[in-house]
Amino acid sequence: MALHFERSEFDARRDRLLIEMAEKKLDAVLLFAQESMYWLTGYDTFGFCFFQCLVVKADGSMVLLTRSADLRQARHTSTIENIVLWTDRQGANPAIDLRNLLNDLDLLGARIGVEYDTHGLTAYNGRRLDEQLQTFGQIADASGIVGRLRLFKSPAEIAKAEKAANLSDDALDAALPLIKQGGDEGLILAAMQGAVFAGGGDYPANEYIIASGADALLCRYKAGRRKLTKNDQLTLEWAGVFHHYHAPMMRTVLTGKVSKRHQELFDASRAALLAVEKAMTPGNTFGDVFDAHARTLEAHNLTKHRLNACGYSVGARFTPSWMDMPMFYQGNPEPIAPNMTLFAHMIIMDSETETAMTLGRTYLTTESAPKPLSRHDLDLIVQ
């Protein structure tokens, strides 16, 4: 069985979930997020693009409803023992299969939590689910339960994050010799992803960001490659990934001469990241961390060039994004606590001068100051 954690780790996670369920008076929860299934059982698949559900009862028993293509996947990668299949066929409605399963589990009339807020349950399937459950029992939105449990990392999870961070550093090391006049974005991208794979890592939950010239102001991946010029800017956002645990980094690397505007934006982004580090301590909130970022960039007269969030929790994530909740944005009341892995990014995009500057890395929170997980410093990189 391809489990990446000890059985005792999964048992402890199950027990934490059962405590939450008891507090919310839930007889069962229906988990649709792949992250939740992976965290709770080790189940590792991209089959969540189809209808599948992990039913967890208040007594700790679990049943997975999935397709035949994922039967062996679940057996091989998870602790799940009871697997039920719904059949692909014309007119199939797996929500009916799920209702029948819940009935077989003696949950008719029960209080059932549903994990609605996930890419694993499309709006289409969510509507079909509601149609089947509206008269079945008392349905409650349980979207955030497992997500919040995943926010706090165990020692075994922290070890995965640290390995992922090493792979992030390796990716940057592989890229730097190729970032120069005439350097090909495609070769840079290949070197970075190749370093992660060579180090035993995995595919990321979303594409790396790589873009230069005017495109360096973009914060998302886009198709198309170019070669770097003599005085260029290259924005990179990437993540080392180990057993699905992510440790993102972000940098804007310059070639040739550093413009005055680039230096101004770098100085501001570095000051903002250091302010964020100071705020990333117990006693503060995620909103306080964002405020530290916003105040610093306001002091540099860059408010209109910044984003409305400056980072987020990271951990074991699946497609389409490695971003996890909670995020650093205004007013977020979630407290900073030890043993969180958090990615903070400073993104300044000056469209008026087409100047980009980014700076970001992943941290492990502690009882005091956060620990950067990267071995790289925060100096401006000029090739």
Side-chain angles (χ1 to χ4, degrees):
M1 199 174 294
L3 294 176
H4 301 306
F5 296 95
E6 298 293 331
R7 285 282 186 144
S8 58
E9 175 92 3
F10 291 115
D11 291 343
R13 296 175 186 180
R14 178 203 60 210
D15 291 345
R16 289 171 61 195
L17 175 58
L18 296 182
I19 291 171
E20 289 293 317
M21 291 171 60
E23 289 181 354
K24 292 173 173 56
K25 297 180 172 55
L26 295 174
D27 299 304
V29 291
L30 309 184
L31 301 181
F32 290 92
Q34 185 58 43
E35 294 82 8
S36 297
M37 299 183 202
Y38 180 76
W39 178 83
L40 190 61
T41 71
Y43 180 37
D44 189 352
T45 182
F46 62 74
F48 63 92
C49 58
F50 296 96
F51 189 103
Q52 68 172 3
C53 177
L54 180 64
V55 182
V56 184
K57 294 183 65 176
D59 62 5
S61 61
M62 304 180 198
V63 184
L64 175 68
L65 176 67
T66 189
R67 299 166 64 245
S68 59
D70 279 298
L71 172 62
R72 292 162 188 81
Q73 195 87 8
R75 285 176 176 170
H76 187 66
T77 66
S78 81
T79 61
I80 303 169
E81 296 180 355
N82 193 349
I83 303 169
V84 176
L85 302 180
W86 65 270
T87 303
D88 296 285
R89 61 189 183 279
Q90 182 63 32
N93 183 352
I96 296 176
D97 296 81
L98 179 56
R99 178 191 168 107
N100 291 338
L101 173 60
L102 297 176
N103 191 60
D104 292 342
L105 294 174
D106 198 26
L107 289 170
L108 180 64
R111 179 171 165 80
I112 301 173
V114 179
E115 200 173 43
Y116 284 107
D117 188 13
T118 169
H119 298 95
L121 183 64
T122 63
Y124 175 71
N125 282 329
R127 291 183 65 177
R128 295 204 290 181
L129 177 69
D130 287 343
E131 288 173 358
Q132 295 302 316
L133 297 186
Q134 59 184 345
T135 61
F136 185 87
Q138 183 183 354
I139 307 304
D141 188 343
S143 297
I145 293 180
V146 178
R148 192 163 193 284
L149 293 175
R150 293 193 303 105
L151 175 59
F152 305 95
K153 306 302 191 291
S154 69
E157 290 180 291
I158 291 171
K160 306 284 189 191
E162 291 174 336
K163 172 64 174 177
N166 287 335
L167 295 175
S168 293
D169 287 332
D170 291 346
L172 180 57
D173 289 340
L176 289 177
L178 304 176
I179 302 176
K180 56 188 177 182
Q181 182 179 0
D184 189 305
E185 288 181 358
L187 295 179
I188 295 167
L189 184 61
M192 297 181 76
Q193 188 64 82
V196 174
F197 288 152
D202 305 306
Y203 286 106
N206 60 255
E207 301 90 341
Y208 287 3
I209 295 168
I210 179 166
S212 58
D215 289 342
L217 280 72
L218 302 181
C219 299
R220 296 286 184 264
Y221 172 86
K222 59 172 275 299
R225 301 283 178 267
R226 68 183 287 271
K227 293 185 177 181
L228 303 179
T229 60
K230 181 178 181 181
N231 295 301
D232 215 329
Q233 54 184 356
L234 177 70
T235 293
L236 299 169
E237 185 179 26
W238 72 102
V241 190
F242 186 69
H243 294 166
H244 293 293
Y245 284 80
H246 291 70
M249 292 179 67
M250 195 168 194
R251 288 294 181 102
T252 298
V253 181
L254 307 180
T255 62
K257 184 179 179 181
V258 179
S259 70
K260 179 182 178 182
R261 190 55 171 163
H262 273 123
Q263 189 65 56
E264 290 173 347
L265 299 189
F266 173 77
D267 292 342
S269 64
R270 189 175 188 277
L273 186 57
L274 293 176
V276 159
E277 289 183 14
K278 192 172 181 179
M280 200 186 295
T281 56
N284 289 329
T285 67
F286 276 66
D288 293 330
V289 172
F290 174 80
D291 291 344
H293 147 267
R295 283 195 304 269
T296 305
L297 295 188
E298 181 180 13
H300 286 78
N301 196 30
L302 292 171
T303 299
K304 68 178 180 179
H305 301 303
R306 66 163 173 80
L307 302 186
N308 293 321
C310 67
Y312 40 82
S313 175
V314 289
R317 286 284 285 176
F318 288 75
T319 305
S321 175
W322 68 53
M323 293 184 285
D324 216 340
M325 292 293 174
M327 299 184 75
F328 297 130
Y329 54 68
Q330 185 176 11
N332 190 338
E334 180 68 42
I336 299 291
N339 301 323
M340 296 176 173
T341 48
L342 307 177
F343 173 51
H345 59 62
M346 306 299 106
I347 300 177
I348 309 173
M349 301 304 187
D350 182 354
S351 296
E352 296 169 2
T353 62
E354 291 193 338
T355 308
M357 186 53 60
T358 65
L359 186 64
R361 60 185 178 181
T362 299
Y363 297 85
L364 172 66
T365 58
T366 71
E367 296 287 351
S368 54
K371 173 188 174 184
L373 294 185
S374 172
R375 63 177 177 261
H376 284 272
D377 57 36
L378 297 179
D379 293 343
L380 177 62
I381 302 176
V382 185
Q383 298 291 91

